[in-house]
Amino acid sequence: MTLRASILVVEDEPAIRRGLCDLLAFHGHAPTPAVDGAEGRRLMLDQAWDLVILDVMLPHVDGITLCRELRAARSGQAILMLTAKGAEADILAGFEAGCDDYISKPFSLPQLVARVTALLRRVSAAGQRLQIGPVEVDTAALVARGDGEVELSTRDVEVLGHLARHRERVVPRKELLSEVWGFARVDRVETRAVDMHIAKLRKKLAEVTEVDVIETVRGAGYRLSREL
Ligand code: CA
């Protein structure tokens, strides 16, 4: 677990930005504020961060765009989006852009700390290799090797790890949401997020193997292919 995490906080509302930075510092982390999308973009690519927190609505460059750029530049970067309450489209756009998690404003401080802590723990739970049929997943380097190599995100590795640990059975979407995404409550948006994520992960794996690694079991969930 990262004890003192470097966290970039891109949020244009001064009270929320200050509140977040104070809270993260209080919990032993090292937050750096960015006041708008332009400053956020500069800082996020300027140095390495354990976590980047992005507000969606930002002056100059919006958070979804930043998320997409950051994910393209650093596939393993932990990214948390701050979305407006009830803004389902923003949540879906955030997941589409590659964020690891989101929290809706207004959020309670304990809720935010719990999400940040869970995300940091997942990011640091690395350092082993996972063999799935013809594919070797390097969970530290965040790559899958087979016929070539493809970069994975932290969440990709977690999804594969969870499916591999339970390879004898079908894993329901709800279970992936609670065990991998860390969501206690499951609704429609989040179930779609799992499906979108698996679809992207399959595309990545298809670059290094012809084997269909993840099998969909209609109405039940996902499992690693029984052929492996
Ligand atoms: Ca904003």
Side-chain angles (χ1 to χ4, degrees), residues 11-13 55-59 105:
E11 164 64 79
D12 59 311
E13 288 165 62
D55 185 29
V56 173
M57 298 288 284
L58 290 166
K105 293 194 272 190

Side-chain angles (χ1 to χ4, degrees), residues 119-134:
L119 194 46
L120 290 172
R121 194 172 49 229
R122 294 206 305 264
V123 169
S124 64
Q128 45 177 316
R129 276 153 207 238
L130 199 62
Q131 194 68 40
I132 305 174

Side-chain angles (χ1 to χ4, degrees), residues 3 11 17 30 32 37 107 114 122 132 137 173 193 202-203:
L3 289 176
E11 164 64 79
R17 184 175 64 243
T32 298
F107 45 81
R122 294 206 305 264
I132 305 174
V137 177
R173 290 172 176 80
R202 277 196 173 120
K203 263 188 210 156

